[in-house]
Amino acid sequence: MYNTITVKVADVINSEVAVTNSDALVLFDEIKSNIDKQTVSVLDFSNIKTLTTAFLNLSIGNLYSIAEPDVLSKFVRINPNAIKPLQYEKVVEVIQNAKQKRSGNN
């Protein structure tokens, strides 16, 4: 069994607005560090008022360049009770696009 940690996005980026590249990279580094330690990251988007696709591409989509999809599905999860439906749709879209891009099916 793997250790699990809740990653409160608003706390990691110290903001309710998830839009900047620098903040996205901070979240990416946090998740990557947890993967490297074989710790499951449960992402909590509560308190995030604004979430852009660009932020998600850098913070989550880029994970597909460092790990296989099966590894990511094991070590990166989203708390469904801590994200708004429209935000969740953006996350799903970014993940699907990242998988397609990495598989070469642009």
Side-chain angles (χ1 to χ4, degrees), residues 13-48:
I13 65 171
N14 199 28
S15 177
E16 296 177 337
V17 180
V19 297
T20 68
N21 290 353
S22 57
D23 285 346
L25 292 174
V26 169
L27 180 59
F28 171 86
D29 288 342
E30 175 88 10
I31 297 168
K32 182 184 180 307
S33 173
N34 288 340
I35 292 169
D36 291 344
K37 294 184 280 190
Q38 294 203 332
T39 298
V40 177
S41 297
V42 180
L43 303 181
D44 179 333
F45 286 89
S46 60
N47 299 325
I48 294 293

Side-chain angles (χ1 to χ4, degrees), residues 2-106:
Y2 300 105
N3 290 331
T4 300
I5 187 168
T6 297
V7 178
K8 292 182 178 270
V9 176
D11 291 348
V12 171
I13 65 171
N14 199 28
S15 177
E16 296 177 337
V17 180
V19 297
T20 68
N21 290 353
S22 57
D23 285 346
L25 292 174
V26 169
L27 180 59
F28 171 86
D29 288 342
E30 175 88 10
I31 297 168
K32 182 184 180 307
S33 173
N34 288 340
I35 292 169
D36 291 344
K37 294 184 280 190
Q38 294 203 332
T39 298
V40 177
S41 297
V42 180
L43 303 181
D44 179 333
F45 286 89
S46 60
N47 299 325
I48 294 293
K49 299 202 183 321
T50 304
L51 179 65
T52 65
T53 303
F55 177 90
L56 292 170
N57 281 329
L58 276 173
S59 60
I60 295 175
N62 274 349
L63 293 170
Y64 287 85
S65 67
I66 60 144
E68 294 298 318
D70 60 330
V71 171
L72 295 176
S73 65
K74 185 187 303 180
F75 288 106
V76 183
R77 301 201 180 126
I78 296 170
N79 179 346
N81 300 316
I83 189 168
K84 296 174 183 145
L86 288 174
Q87 292 174 337
Y88 185 76
E89 288 176 22
K90 284 183 186 178
V91 172
V92 170
E93 180 182 346
V94 163
I95 289 170
Q96 289 172 342
N97 288 342
K99 284 180 180 178
Q100 266 190 328
K101 183 177 178 184
R102 302 300 181 247
S103 70
N105 298 329
N106 297 341

